[in-house]
Amino acid sequence: MKVETDRVVFADATGAEVTVADLRGGARGIVLFFMRAASCIICVRHVRALAALRLTDRDVTPVVVVPGGAAQAARIRRVAGAVRVVSSTGAEAHHAVGLARTVLLQHSGTLLVDAAGEVRYRLGAALPTGSFDAAALTAAVDAM
């Protein structure tokens, strides 16, 4: 599955629009972790686990996507360490990559996208406990 980087737009810490390609920069890939909400305790735990993987040492850029605006993203930046945090207006970016909303629950998920824009790994779930798997993500990075 190809991620149309021109369709998926985020806001960085300054409020400027950035795409998946902008965030990846020259790295060989990018991991996007889409949180269910900034207030989701399990998602915050996943953000910390993502930071612990030290993916930048492997030429992969980790990014956390927070639905909502600058205030929600700022809250997560405090716990994300070196992982970049961006926000999306509402859940638009989540929907653009196939993470739906069921009743009142926004799905969360993890995507590994290579330099060509191909999704190499995808894990999404309605419940945040099923949206991040460090071992599987590490294996996908190794296989990329």
Side-chain angles (χ1 to χ4, degrees):
M1 172 181 159
K2 184 126 173 134
V3 173
E4 298 296 330
T5 55
D6 56 342
R7 285 189 19 200
V8 185
V9 178
F10 311 100
D12 69 7
T14 68
E17 288 189 350
V18 291
T19 65
V20 172
D22 297 331
L23 293 167
R24 182 181 53 78
R28 68 186 181 107
I30 182 171
V31 170
L32 298 163
F33 175 63
F34 290 82
M35 295 183 72
R36 180 181 68 81
S39 60
C40 175
I41 296 168
I42 294 166
C43 291
V44 170
R45 201 174 315 146
H46 293 329
V47 169
R48 288 186 177 120
L50 178 62
L53 293 178
R54 300 177 49 112
L55 293 173
T56 54
D57 293 349
R58 302 170 76 192
D59 198 26
V60 174
T61 304
V63 177
V64 173
V65 180
V66 181
Q72 291 85 357
R75 177 178 177 191
I76 299 306
R77 277 188 197 95
R78 290 191 290 271
V79 299
V83 175
R84 189 159 182 193
V85 177
V86 296
S87 60
S88 64
T89 305
E92 293 171 11
H94 286 64
H95 295 168
V97 298
L99 295 171
R101 184 179 196 108
T102 306
V103 187
L104 298 175
L105 194 60
Q106 173 61 57
H107 292 202
S108 55
T110 309
L111 275 82
L112 171 61
V113 182
D114 67 16
E118 293 290 328
V119 175
R120 298 306 231 29
Y121 171 82
R122 176 188 167 90
L123 180 63
L127 295 177
T129 53
S131 65
F132 184 82
D133 182 331
L137 176 59
T138 300
V141 168
D142 288 343
M144 188 171 66

